[in-house]
Amino acid sequence: MGGHLNINHLMFLGQGALWTIGLSLIALIGGGIVGFAIALARISPLKTVRIASGVYVQLIQGTPLLVILFLGYFGLAAIGLKVSPLVAAGASLTLYVAAYLGEIWRGCIQSVPKPQWEAGEGLALSRTQRMMKVILPQAIRIATPPTVGFMVQIIKNTSLASVVGFVELMRSGQIVNNSLFEPFAIYAIIAVTYFAMCYPLSLFSQRLERRMGRGGSNLAPA
Amino acid sequence: MQQNAPSSEPIVSLRDVQKSFGSLRVLDGVSFAVARGEVLALIGRSGSGKSTALRCIDRFEKVDGGEIVVCGHRVDRPDVNLRALRQDVGIVFQSYNLFPHLTIEQNITLAPCAVKGMASSHAKDLARKVLAQVGLEEKLHAYPEQLSGGQQQRAAIARSLAMQPKVMLFDEVTSALDPELTGEVLKVIEQLAADGMTMVMVTHEMGFAKGIADRIVFMHRGKVHETGPASILTSPTTPELTQFVGTGNLKS
């Protein structure tokens, strides 16, 4: 590469953007699965499970994602586990996202009114049946807007994976800039691209929230 | 009102039940029994322990002492089979607690299918039947939020009936309703009583209690203060009950 910004550079940036989306999906799916387990663990009837999951959430939320990424990449290498940038970034983001989604979802599950649990109990439903058939369907409705909103954070945070050499949108921008030395133009393109990915999600989240508000709380008077 | 002669073995019996919330003693040696087919009304002021006593029967509260036997289940014991107990006991709450994400039909068929393994088609027939019992057949496919409070409460009663309980508990089921809607719910309960359902109800509707109950239990400060047939409401023997029914509670 070299000279002026051309179609090849843009293709390279486009590829980086695709990896940003890919890494975001990995983080969302991995973090969603682990986060769901965390949410359930946080409201477990077993005290040790509640405490252990609480400690996990506090540890992750109290650590910068950048540090988690370094630990994932260099830390694992130091103890003899050589992992690719994709694996290191994917795993680190999964752990990070899980801590946040776990807390968001725990709040959503707990915001389903307690009498709903009691009604399920009164009908002899088991704890699992109450969770699956009564509580979660209601919690998912509550959880959708904040979860979509959090996806915006995930997309933006994947840019940090550039520090472990994972070539996503940010890193591809750095690489192109290294040959062109047009930082303002290139990072402007990067910024617009991130915005184009995040803004629709923000709008979607807001719309979901409004729709939930309009639907109103269909909870019986207490 | 009483159709079946009460058999000797009570369906529900509480003996010397103790329950405290922290340092507050809510139940202080409560004893009463409910025979098959009997309608028992628990009355008393707010905070007298009547709702707690009712919730102890279905083990929504654990007791600190005493003995509770419900349909043969030792409810006071820690090893009580809760799911078996709750198949025998139906409970209806003040706030209806229908599941808002399910239609009325789904609300009703959920437990029979999930708990009893009933086939879906059979459960749907059952839903139609119990809804007819409460006069809401046309609301089969409605969602709870589309129903009035009185209709929601009747649907909640139907949902409970679908589990074919041996005894039904009503926890101030009309307290959230205005007088007009209260009537339609009380009519449903009256019909259940006429059909011979064993019932324990916490109620503030003194006129209703007087008309329907075979026996009244008046609770005061965590104790059974006075008990007897519905006539005790018109001729109470303790000053507390006299004052309670005298404060305009006894209407209609």
Side-chain angles (χ1 to χ4, degrees), chain A residues 116 118 121 124 129 133 220-221, chain B residues 55 83 86 95 98 101 114:
Chain A
Q116 289 285 313
E118 285 195 343
E121 272 188 88
Q129 288 169 338
K133 293 175 190 290
Chain B
R55 288 168 60 82
R83 295 191 69 195
R86 284 161 181 168
S95 52
L98 290 170
H101 60 295

Side-chain angles (χ1 to χ4, degrees), chain A:
Chain A
M1 288 185 235
H4 291 288
L5 191 65
N6 61 33
I7 187 75
N8 289 323
H9 295 127
L10 292 177
M11 297 248 304
F12 187 70
L13 291 178
Q15 208 177 13
L18 285 180
W19 273 113
T20 286
I21 293 170
L23 188 58
S24 299
L25 287 175
I26 290 170
L28 180 72
I29 293 165
I33 293 168
V34 181
F36 182 63
I38 295 286
L40 292 182
R42 292 280 280 130
I43 55 165
S44 164
L46 302 173
K47 199 175 176 193
T48 44
V49 176
R50 284 201 306 274
I51 291 176
S53 53
V55 167
Y56 171 82
V57 169
Q58 291 306 320
L59 275 179
I60 297 290
Q61 293 198 350
T63 311
L65 176 57
L66 193 57
V67 176
I68 299 173
L69 280 160
F70 277 137
L71 281 177
Y73 190 62
F74 299 110
L76 288 178
I79 59 170
L81 281 171
K82 190 84 186 93
V83 291
S84 72
L86 175 62
V87 173
S92 303
L93 276 162
T94 290
L95 294 180
Y96 175 80
V97 169
Y100 284 89
L101 281 185
E103 276 303 86
I104 293 173
W105 291 347
R106 174 192 60 79
C108 293
I109 291 171
Q110 287 183 328
S111 68
V112 176
K114 197 151 175 274
Q116 289 285 313
W117 283 97
E118 285 195 343
E121 272 188 88
L123 289 168
L125 299 174
S126 68
R127 187 180 158 85
T128 312
Q129 288 169 338
R130 293 197 298 272
M131 186 60 98
M132 300 304 292
K133 293 175 190 290
V134 176
I135 304 302
L136 283 183
Q138 299 183 57
I140 286 169
R141 280 193 51 189
I142 305 170
T144 307
T147 303
V148 173
F150 185 69
M151 282 165 63
V152 173
Q153 303 297 322
I154 299 177
I155 291 174
K156 290 190 293 185
N157 278 333
T158 56
S159 61
L160 290 173
S162 58
V163 298
V164 294
F166 183 74
V167 186
E168 37 63 75
L169 180 55
M170 181 67 194
R171 181 84 190 125
S172 61
Q174 288 170 336
I175 291 169
V176 171
N177 184 53
N178 284 347
S179 65
L180 293 185
F181 304 109
E182 287 185 50
F184 182 74
I186 288 164
Y187 289 121
I189 292 171
I190 301 290
V192 167
T193 313
Y194 274 115
F195 182 79
M197 287 191 258
C198 294
Y199 186 60
L201 278 176
S202 285
L203 275 185
F204 183 47
S205 168
Q206 277 168 26
R207 210 160 83 198
L208 283 173
E209 232 162 87
R210 269 205 305 276
R211 190 184 303 168
M212 298 266 308
R214 242 205 337 271
S217 63
N218 39 12
L219 313 171

